[in-house]
Amino acid sequence: MRIGVLGAGQLGRMLALAGYPLAKEFVFYDMSGSPSAGLGEVIVDRDGSYLDDFLSRVDRVTYEFEHLPVEVAEKLAQHKPVHPCPRALQVCQNREAEKTLFGQLGIPTPEWKIADSAASLKAAAEALGCPVVAKSITEGYDGKGQAVLRDPEQAEEAWTAIGHPRVIVEKFVNFKREVSIIAVRGEDGDVAFYPIAENTHHEGILRYSIAPAPGLQPHIQQDAEKYIKALLNELNYVGVLTLELFETEDGLVANEMAPRVHNSGHWTIEGSMTSQFENHIRAVSGHALGNVQARGLSCMINIIGEHGDIERMLELPYAHLHLYNKGERPGRKLGHVNILADSYEELVWRVRNCAQFLPGSPEFKSSLTTKG
Ligand code: AMP
């Protein structure tokens, strides 16, 4: 079976790495002009003129990034099975549609309002009570697209900074930590859930994911499973879906979802019986799902901007290095390291030991380290 992947970055690369042992072949369709998957056939097509060519070479279609025109996915779906379905893509591309769907399915979200002018942003901030987070409805550009308002008087400034005709204004969530759940649904409707991961960001980029999330109460995992299952079934979804959430004193609050394999699931490559990548390939190919049980405790460390001391990291007996074959550039995801351990104490020690070989890596902070 030949799988067509829309997008050709590191997620596509890791999908292919997981798919080759199952005798899948891959054709990547790249619209960026700078594919990095480095495996399989790559069709670079900036203006859509090779879409038919791509279609003729593949049996099924999936994607590794969600910012492609929905019409492209819809057009493809008229000819070949496209998993997940274009509707999932559509929902994820629009924060208003996404939060509306969450609400319809009983998934808790921050209280939110829509603003389409500086004045209505101010009114929304007043109604919700500051602080609030204003986000462009669709993807921001140049790192723009979000602003925190500590006072409604900041509305004018925030509106200009965001530079988008329509924004969602959310009440600021006072969260204990950020977490994510990854689930997979097969063509037959079978669903499997990975354990929740705890995610630490630095300068807006994911740095560390620990799974299973330390100290997680069983009802939190159950709630997350209930929420993501509702989404999977509503969308008649096939493949891996990620739901990013805030854990608060009162339970989970949903932030956003990604219709694909996710950075916070890279730990599953060695840390789970079946990785998110293999399970996505299994699902989109119509196979049975694989066992999602964790093999132990994992922490994924992202390699951002510069590679660091690769040789020293390769010497660590508990570290698994994954490089994406990309050039160094500030803020760029170049690879990740998966660390495995039998106890959280050992995990913390190993993560710190590894992180010293990653210059510029922020200090390891998590619920494990803040407890002292
Ligand atoms: P997003 O692009 O929606 O994932 O937001 C990026 C980051 O901003 C999140 O990972 C959070 O750290 C923070 N953030 C977003 N929305 C909220 C919110 N309503 N309350 C508090 N923090 C938020």
Side-chain angles (χ1 to χ4, degrees), residues 331-343:
R332 196 175 200 201
K333 290 180 179 173
L334 304 175
H336 68 272
V337 193
N338 284 342
I339 308 279
L340 277 114
D342 294 323
S343 71

Side-chain angles (χ1 to χ4, degrees), residues 170-243:
E170 298 174 8
K171 192 144 178 71
F172 193 89
V173 178
N174 196 4
F175 54 83
K176 287 197 287 187
R177 58 179 170 181
E178 294 190 68
V179 297
S180 56
I181 184 158
I182 294 179
V184 57
R185 186 170 181 273
E187 269 187 344
D188 59 0
D190 191 20
V191 178
F193 310 96
Y194 287 96
I196 284 181
E198 173 184 317
N199 304 319
T200 308
H201 300 85
H202 180 75
E203 292 167 353
I205 304 173
L206 180 70
R207 297 295 178 145
Y208 299 97
S209 282
I210 306 170
L216 193 79
Q217 294 161 284
H219 74 269
I220 297 287
Q221 175 77 29
Q222 285 159 15
D223 284 348
E225 291 184 6
K226 189 172 74 184
Y227 301 152
I228 199 165
K229 190 173 182 180
L231 287 164
L232 288 166
N233 289 339
E234 165 66 23
L235 296 167
N236 199 14
Y237 195 98
V238 174
V240 163
L241 177 71
T242 307
L243 181 60

Side-chain angles (χ1 to χ4, degrees), residues 9 37 48 50 57 69-71 91 98 107 118 124 134 142 187 229 238 240 247 253 289 301 308 316 330 344:
Y50 296 108
R57 290 176 199 227
V70 176
E71 307 81 68
V91 170
E98 188 178 52
I107 303 170
D142 293 343
E187 269 187 344
K229 190 173 182 180
V238 174
V240 163
E247 189 185 353
V253 176
L289 305 179
I301 313 175
L316 302 174
Y344 285 118

Side-chain angles (χ1 to χ4, degrees), residues 95 133 135 146 170-173 175 178 246 255-256:
R95 292 182 191 273
V133 189
K135 307 173 181 178
Q146 284 199 25
E170 298 174 8
K171 192 144 178 71
F172 193 89
V173 178
F175 54 83
E178 294 190 68
F246 302 119
N255 181 28
E256 61 183 0

Side-chain angles (χ1 to χ4, degrees), residues 114-182:
I114 294 295
D116 55 10
S117 65
S120 62
L121 173 56
K122 186 174 180 210
E126 277 164 354
L128 292 168
C130 280
V132 295
V133 189
K135 307 173 181 178
S136 61
I137 291 293
T138 50
E139 201 192 359
Y141 39 90
D142 293 343
K144 290 182 186 174
Q146 284 199 25
V148 175
L149 281 76
R150 311 231 159 254
D151 191 291
E153 293 305 322
Q154 293 175 313
E156 191 76 50
E157 190 190 334
W159 181 260
T160 310
I162 294 171
H164 197 273
R166 198 168 169 86
V167 304
I168 184 166
V169 193
E170 298 174 8
K171 192 144 178 71
F172 193 89
V173 178
N174 196 4
F175 54 83
K176 287 197 287 187
R177 58 179 170 181
E178 294 190 68
V179 297
S180 56
I181 184 158
I182 294 179

